[in-house]
Amino acid sequence: QVQLVESGGGSVQAGGSLRLSCAASGLKYNRRNYCMGWFRQAPGKGREGIAAIYTGGETTYYVDSVKGRFAISQDNANNTLYLQMNSLKPEDTAMYYCAAMAWCRRSHLPQDFPYRGQGTQVTVSS
């Protein structure tokens, strides 16, 4: 059974940085056959997919609001996914979730991935 455990959330001031990590275990297939990503959910709002790495590891997705500020990366040897978040804004405040899907299509977004972690809270103050 796939398990995803996020870490690295916290409270920062606007303009600050955080690096989220997601440790994956229980993967049934080769790690490169999974799409991995991050989505977030703020109180009273729906899930928003923010970044993903697709099968093979060469194609990435970013939602427009984080382009140029966030960077997704992965360490396949350690089955760990990262999200480097720079120039954080108060509107980035949300619970951030790691997600995974085997053999996904490019049309799938992170909030569609069936495997999800418990989330890590990011709070950005102005």
Side-chain angles (χ1 to χ4, degrees), residues 19-81:
R19 189 193 196 201
L20 305 184
S21 299
C22 172
S25 61
L27 301 178
K28 181 178 181 180
Y29 307 109
N30 185 289
R31 170 67 182 80
R32 290 179 59 84
N33 295 326
Y34 286 83
C35 300
M36 303 289 294
W38 297 90
F39 68 91
R40 63 188 178 187
Q41 187 165 21
K45 296 187 177 181
R47 294 170 181 163
E48 179 185 38
I50 53 176
I53 296 179
Y54 288 88
T55 304
E58 296 182 354
T59 302
T60 58
Y61 160 83
Y62 293 96
V63 69
D64 285 347
S65 61
V66 307
K67 285 180 180 178
R69 299 189 299 123
F70 291 11
I72 190 170
S73 62
Q74 59 187 358
D75 179 347
N76 288 332
N78 293 310
N79 283 344
T80 303
L81 182 73

Side-chain angles (χ1 to χ4, degrees), residues 68-106:
R69 299 189 299 123
F70 291 11
I72 190 170
S73 62
Q74 59 187 358
D75 179 347
N76 288 332
N78 293 310
N79 283 344
T80 303
L81 182 73
Y82 301 100
L83 185 68
Q84 179 66 44
M85 304 187 296
N86 299 325
S87 302
L88 283 161
K89 304 175 181 180
E91 51 263 45
D92 294 318
T93 294
M95 185 72 81
Y96 283 69
Y97 297 87
C98 176
M101 181 174 181
W103 305 107
C104 80
R105 297 180 183 273
R106 179 61 181 84

